[in-house]
Structures are given as structure tokens and as C-alpha cells.
Amino acid sequence: MALAGPWTLPEGQGLAIATLLGSQADHRFDAAGALGPMPRFRKSEIQVLAEYGITDRFTLRGRTEARALRFEDRPSADDTGLGFTEIGLRTRLLQRGPLVLSAEGNLRGAQARAVEGPGADGGFRFEAEARGLAGYGFQLRGRDAFAAGELAYRFRASRPDELRLDLTLGVRPVPRTLLLAQVFSTFAVMGEDGVPAGSDHKLQLSAVRDVTPAVSLQLGGFATVAARERLAERGLLLALWRRF
């Protein structure tokens, strides 16, 4: 859930973000969107995102994750290991003053076990993603602010394709602090036999504090606020940002 955004990095500059996340769920949304109790599920995760400006218009990006899953009612399904690793390229299509439009393509892969569970057979599972991004900088009561939106289609060979929508509002109440409000929405395009396979909408609130010009710390929390056939997950995150 680290902020990427539609802006490309200047040539020769980079950004790395390491994020520690912890979450749990003891309720689940059913097919109608109603909440019901379930055995407790816990997840611990480390995500690492790195971006580098190849030119002012093209930014290379990569991301990987390691996670530990714990199921209260199914200890045999507990799993620890790598999740998805992805690599991609973002290109700035248009910039007019505070408005920027970009496009991004990503290729993702993970072991079948990480995607489909401990009983999965076979090797790697691959996914491809096409993403459109837009951002706009403005002043909010005299303070620097921005809004960003990202719409992506994710092609998944072993599961239903997904449509993803990410929305971000950022405000700097003081020069060295950035407040972020983000919504991450996922819609499964089609399930088996043409039945929709669910959706979820996560709200994340966080603050990023610049410790030095090159280092920042992010602290926040997130929760699933609405969904169908998904866990009601809630958790906390701590991230270290390093510019280079």
C-alpha cells in the first residue's frame, strides 16, 4: 500500500520505501456485503518499493514483499515466504502546470503457493497490469496539497482479472509533514461461471514526517470499510522512505 503516484522522478534520482505492516481480521463480508464473524486471521508483511528516474519522463520501478499468514482455525494453512515481486515502467504523458498524466505497465510474479494457498501445484504465477495515473497539485487554505487517481486493469492467469482504483489526497499542514488519506478499491471482473467474485475498499490514513532531506518516516493505519466476499481487515503500517 506504499504511495507511488503519477509523478515521474528526475533523471538520476531515486526513491526506496520499506514498509512493515501488521493486520488481522475476525469478521468477513459476505456476497451481499454484510459482516459476519470468522476465526481470527493475522498477517505480517514487509514490502520494499524502489523507483529510479531513467530520464525525466521515464521512471523504472520494482517491488517485492515477504509475509507471514496465520489462521486460527487452520494451523496447517499457515504460511511464511515471498509474496508478489513486480517490475514496471511509468512514463509521463502530459504535464501542464500542476496537472500530470502518466501511464504505467507492470509485470508481477509469485510462487503458486503464495497465490493459491499451500495446496497449489506448479511453479510461478504471472500477472500483468496496465495503469493510468493522474495528479494535480494545488493550494488548500494556503498549504501545499495534491490529489491523485490511478485506474488499473490487472490480467491474472490463475484467478479472475481485477479492476483497481486508487485515490489519494495529500496535504502539508507544516513544511516537513505530509498527511495522506487514501482509498484502495479492487473489483474482481468475473468469477467462475460468470459470477462476480467480490470486491473490497480499503481506507488508509497516514502521516509522513521528513527527518532529513533524504529520509522520511511514515506511520498510519488501514481498514476494509466495505467489501463482498472479502475479509474485514484492519492494521497498522510503519515505513521508511529514502531518497537517493
Side-chain angles (χ1 to χ4, degrees):
M1 293 187 187
L3 178 67
W7 287 272
T8 53
L9 294 175
E11 181 177 353
Q13 295 187 23
L15 171 66
I17 303 176
T19 306
L20 176 64
L21 305 100
S23 63
Q24 65 175 14
D26 52 19
H27 284 74
R28 180 181 177 88
F29 292 93
D30 64 17
L35 271 175
M38 58 165 274
R40 189 178 301 275
F41 163 81
R42 290 187 175 89
K43 179 169 67 173
S44 301
E45 194 169 15
I46 297 174
Q47 300 177 357
V48 178
L49 167 72
E51 299 192 346
Y52 182 77
I54 303 173
T55 70
D56 289 348
R57 288 190 58 193
F58 294 93
T59 293
L60 181 68
R61 66 183 305 276
R63 178 183 172 277
T64 191
E65 61 188 24
R67 62 187 186 180
L69 309 180
R70 298 290 181 265
F71 300 86
E72 185 177 74
D73 63 329
R74 293 179 293 139
S76 61
D78 291 355
D79 187 45
T80 300
L82 291 177
F84 274 97
T85 295
E86 66 183 45
I87 186 169
L89 183 70
R90 182 163 65 253
T91 178
R92 187 179 69 232
L93 303 176
L94 173 70
Q95 185 159 13
R96 292 289 184 270
L99 173 67
V100 62
L101 302 177
S102 300
E104 185 176 288
N106 295 292
L107 181 63
R108 297 160 41 88
Q111 288 287 345
R113 177 187 178 93
V115 178
E116 300 167 11
D121 296 325
F124 251 64
R125 299 290 189 264
F126 288 100
E127 301 180 355
E129 180 186 87
R131 181 175 291 258
L133 311 91
Y136 186 79
F138 59 96
Q139 292 285 305
L140 183 63
R141 295 188 175 182
R143 296 172 172 84
D144 291 338
F146 74 91
E150 305 180 20
L151 181 63
Y153 191 94
R154 185 170 290 176
F155 302 87
R156 309 198 303 173
S158 58
R159 294 181 293 172
D161 291 351
E162 288 181 346
L163 187 67
R164 305 176 73 89
L165 176 65
D166 301 341
L167 301 173
T168 299
L169 175 64
V171 180
R172 285 196 177 272
V174 294
R176 293 173 56 191
T177 300
L178 174 64
L179 302 181
L180 294 171
Q182 297 173 275
V183 176
F184 303 99
S185 297
T186 303
F187 307 87
V189 174
M190 197 64 69
E192 295 181 0
D193 301 322
V195 178
S199 62
D200 65 80
H201 309 276
K202 288 185 171 66
L203 173 65
Q204 178 173 299
L205 302 175
S206 63
V208 183
R209 177 69 174 178
D210 296 336
V211 180
T212 72
V215 176
S216 300
L217 291 176
Q218 180 182 12
L219 178 65
F222 57 91
T224 305
V225 294
R228 291 186 299 108
E229 297 291 355
R230 295 288 189 272
L231 303 181
E233 195 175 4
R234 58 190 183 277
L236 299 173
L237 68 94
L238 175 64
L240 173 67
W241 300 33
R242 178 68 167 89
R243 302 167 189 85
F244 56 92

